[in-house]
Amino acid sequence: QVQVVESGGGLVQAGGSLRLSCTVSGLTFDRYTMGWFRQAPGQEREGVSCINWSGALTDYSYSVEGRFTISRDNAKNTLYLQMISLKPEDTANYYCAVGADPYFFGGVCKTADFRHWGQGTDVTVSS
């Protein structure tokens, strides 16, 4: 049984920083692309950033590029999202997801390419 658990969300002022973490169990972590997605109230879930199984390839949405950094530690089965220069529009529930197929990287973060999802962690950025 695959388990995906996010942590690190919280309330931060605009311009501040947060680091999200996601720990995965129940599969061979270093075979799968991982992704961060977010969903604000009343909006669709959108891809924020994805990283391939080795960490060599990444993708970022236009709205976060240059401010967010995705990384992974395969020895710890953990995915990270370092967020700096946070804006109120970054406020959302952030989800971690595991790719649907091993050794596949789609180049962009699409929800259809991911199978296992966490419950999410809330990020609130105050102005």
Side-chain angles (χ1 to χ4, degrees), residues 8-69:
L11 173 63
V12 63
Q13 288 188 330
S17 302
L18 280 175
R19 189 176 82 152
L20 306 183
S21 299
C22 169
T23 301
V24 179
S25 61
L27 51 69
T28 306
F29 183 75
D30 63 5
R31 295 180 181 179
Y32 292 88
T33 288
M34 296 292 300
W36 286 103
F37 295 77
R38 67 186 182 186
Q39 187 168 18
Q43 296 187 20
E44 292 187 356
R45 191 170 297 187
E46 63 172 347
V48 174
S49 183
C50 296
I51 187 168
N52 81 322
W53 54 92
S54 69
L57 301 174
T58 59
D59 176 74
Y60 295 91
S61 70
Y62 177 79
S63 61
V64 308
E65 192 157 18
R67 299 187 298 121
F68 291 10
T69 303

Side-chain angles (χ1 to χ4, degrees), residues 4-7 19-24 29 32-37 49-52 70-74 76-82 95-98 114:
V4 181
V5 181
E6 304 97 336
S7 62
R19 189 176 82 152
L20 306 183
S21 299
C22 169
T23 301
V24 179
F29 183 75
Y32 292 88
T33 288
M34 296 292 300
W36 286 103
F37 295 77
S49 183
C50 296
I51 187 168
N52 81 322
I70 192 170
S71 62
R72 63 191 296 162
D73 185 337
N74 285 345
K76 296 182 178 179
N77 284 15
T78 302
L79 176 73
Y80 302 100
L81 186 68
Q82 179 68 51
Y95 297 90
C96 172
V98 182
F114 292 81

Side-chain angles (χ1 to χ4, degrees), residues 14 86-92 125-127:
L86 282 161
K87 304 175 182 180
E89 50 263 45
D90 294 318
T91 295
V125 184
S126 63
S127 57

